[in-house]
Amino acid sequence: MRPCSPQFHGLSGVATATGSLDVTVNRVTLRAADLPQNSVGSFLISRTQGFAPHPGGSQGVLCLGGSIGRFVGPGQLQDSGTDGTFSLALDLAEQPTPTGLVQIQPGDTWSFQAWFRDTAAGQVTSNFTSRLELTFR
C-alpha cells in the first residue's frame, strides 16, 4: 500500500473508528487524531480508494477516489481544539454522496478520510489524515 498523507505540522494525522460494524446497531464514530491544534476539518467518504497527491494545492494525499461525499451538514464541520482531535458519530442510514444521501448496507465497504486546515512553511493550506476502510456487516 502506498503511503498516505504526508503531514507538514510534524505529526501524522490518523483516522480511526470505534463502535460496531453491524448496520443494525448503527453505532460507529469516526475520529481524526494527531492534527494541528484548533484546526477546522471534516470527514470524507467514498466506496473507492484512490491516490491523489496535493489535490487543490493541499499538502497531503487524498486516498479516496470516485464519487466522494463530504460530511459538511449541520454539526459535521469540526474543530480539533487544543488536543488536536475531532470525531463524528455516523448515522449509517444517511451517508453523503455527490448525488444525495445513501444508506450503508451489510457487505458494503466504505473508505473514510479527514480533511483539515494545516500550515506549510508558514502558509495556510490543507491536509488529510490516513485513510480508514470499513466493511460493514
Side-chain angles (χ1 to χ4, degrees):
M1 182 161 89
R2 290 177 281 202
C4 187
S5 195
Q7 306 298 311
F8 288 88
H9 58 82
L11 300 173
S12 182
V14 177
T16 59
T18 58
S20 174
L21 296 177
D22 183 336
V23 296
T24 61
V25 174
N26 194 18
R27 188 169 296 132
V28 175
T29 300
L30 301 177
R31 182 173 187 262
D34 298 332
L35 308 178
Q37 290 184 339
N38 303 308
S39 178
V40 174
S42 65
F43 285 97
L44 306 171
I45 180 174
S46 179
R47 293 180 193 249
T48 308
Q49 296 179 6
F51 187 82
H54 315 294
S58 170
Q59 295 302 306
V61 176
L62 178 60
C63 297
L64 306 178
S67 296
I68 298 172
R70 300 178 299 141
F71 290 92
V72 294
Q76 294 179 334
L77 291 176
Q78 305 286 320
D79 186 298
S80 66
T82 57
D83 66 350
T85 67
F86 59 74
S87 61
L88 178 68
L90 299 180
D91 179 350
L92 301 182
E94 295 186 347
Q95 298 305 290
T97 70
T99 57
L101 298 174
V102 300
Q103 183 172 355
I104 291 179
Q105 300 294 323
D108 283 355
T109 298
W110 289 86
S111 292
F112 300 87
Q113 193 171 13
W115 166 92
F116 58 93
R117 283 294 198 197
D118 202 354
T119 58
Q123 299 296 313
V124 176
T125 184
S126 65
N127 214 326
F128 299 92
T129 63
S130 59
R131 180 188 66 234
L132 173 66
E133 182 180 290
L134 300 176
T135 299
F136 295 87
R137 55 182 193 271

